[in-house]
Amino acid sequence: MAAVVAGVVVVMGAAVSLVAWRAEQPTWAVLFIVVTALLALQLAGMVLVAMPRRRGRLVVHHRRGESDLVIAGSPWPRRADVLSAVVSWVGLISGVLVLAAQPSATLDALGPVLVLLAFAVGCSWAAGRYLAGLRPHDRITVSRHGFEVRGSGTTEGFTWGDVVGFGVGLNGLTVLARGLVDTSVPIPALQLPSDPVLIGEALEFYRANERLRGELANGAALDRIREGTFRPHAS
């Protein structure tokens, strides 16, 4: 649904850009083109990750020397930050050139350029944090002690003893916490290139099998996931 809404907004933005250009408001046209491009980047991320190819797929890795299993998140949101910065600066430069080409610039023509400047600064800040390693890819890190979810700019950790089960839906995972109202894990399914059902089943397997949690530290969990023996119907 979100992808449909974003797609409609992109089409409307392109139409408004064309109207502004024909109305001899070129800086406004540039602004709407940039906004449309930024929305298109977000739309692309929604479409790429929501494609059916992630069904039956669980993307995990265990690096040598590390003691945790990582359920990988999609790299697209962070890459989109970098692309958004590029688009914003191209738009700002274009807006300045268009403004300079006008015989008499007005405040109405200057306004969109100032907005483009704000976009460029904001997007560059987000991209800079990613390139500096301050905004790593979203992921779920699973250990023998519990799991940690990093997504949407927040990090939340759970111990196995605090969890009684999991709920899985199109919008992400729900942790059923002991003694608390259902707590939603702060990572939407759209940021995971894995099947949310398989994620929930893998977490539930290690929650329910305490004696097997050592697999998460020595890499044996990778073999179990490849073989599919973590699933409820597996023997």
Side-chain angles (χ1 to χ4, degrees):
M1 182 62 182
V4 174
V5 173
V8 171
V9 172
V10 167
V11 172
M12 292 179 61
V16 172
S17 301
L18 180 60
V19 170
W21 191 268
R22 290 184 173 180
E24 298 184 352
Q25 298 287 338
T27 55
W28 282 99
V30 171
L31 174 60
F32 286 123
I33 290 172
V34 170
V35 171
T36 301
L38 295 177
L39 288 172
L41 288 174
Q42 298 303 316
L43 173 62
M46 294 177 184
V47 172
L48 285 174
V49 184
M51 289 176 68
R53 63 187 175 87
R54 72 173 179 167
R55 293 176 184 172
R57 184 183 185 208
L58 182 57
V59 182
V60 299
H61 60 79
H62 182 278
R63 294 177 180 173
R64 182 173 298 177
E66 295 184 354
S67 60
D68 302 326
L69 181 77
V70 176
I71 300 175
S74 172
W76 176 257
R78 299 296 175 261
R79 293 173 182 173
D81 289 342
V82 177
L83 292 174
S84 295
V86 173
V87 169
S88 298
W89 278 103
V90 170
L92 175 61
I93 294 171
S94 300
V96 170
L97 293 176
V98 167
L99 185 66
Q102 294 184 2
S104 58
T106 63
L107 289 178
D108 184 60
L110 179 62
V113 177
L114 297 178
V115 175
L116 288 169
L117 175 61
F119 277 149
V121 172
C123 292
S124 297
W125 178 79
R129 283 176 54 81
Y130 163 60
L131 294 175
L134 300 177
R135 295 186 67 201
H137 297 313
D138 299 328
R139 64 178 182 263
I140 301 177
T141 304
V142 191
S143 72
R144 65 174 66 193
H145 305 295
F147 59 97
E148 180 183 87
V149 179
R150 174 175 289 157
S152 302
T154 63
T155 301
E156 187 168 354
F158 298 88
T159 63
W160 295 118
D162 293 335
V163 178
V164 297
F166 300 90
V168 182
L170 294 177
N171 293 325
L173 304 174
T174 299
V175 177
L176 307 179
R178 191 182 304 278
L180 298 175
V181 179
D182 294 359
T183 302
S184 295
V185 174
I187 182 168
L190 286 175
Q191 293 180 5
L192 292 171
S194 299
D195 190 331
V197 173
L198 294 183
I199 296 172
E201 290 179 351
L203 292 175
E204 174 60 21
F205 178 85
Y206 286 108
R207 183 203 69 81
N209 295 278
E210 181 178 359
R211 64 184 179 83
L212 296 176
R213 293 174 191 164
E215 298 177 352
L216 296 164
N218 58 27
L222 287 177
D223 295 329
R224 183 176 296 281
I225 288 172
R226 291 190 190 102
E227 296 166 0
T229 55
F230 66 94
R231 307 204 66 182
H233 56 75
S235 55

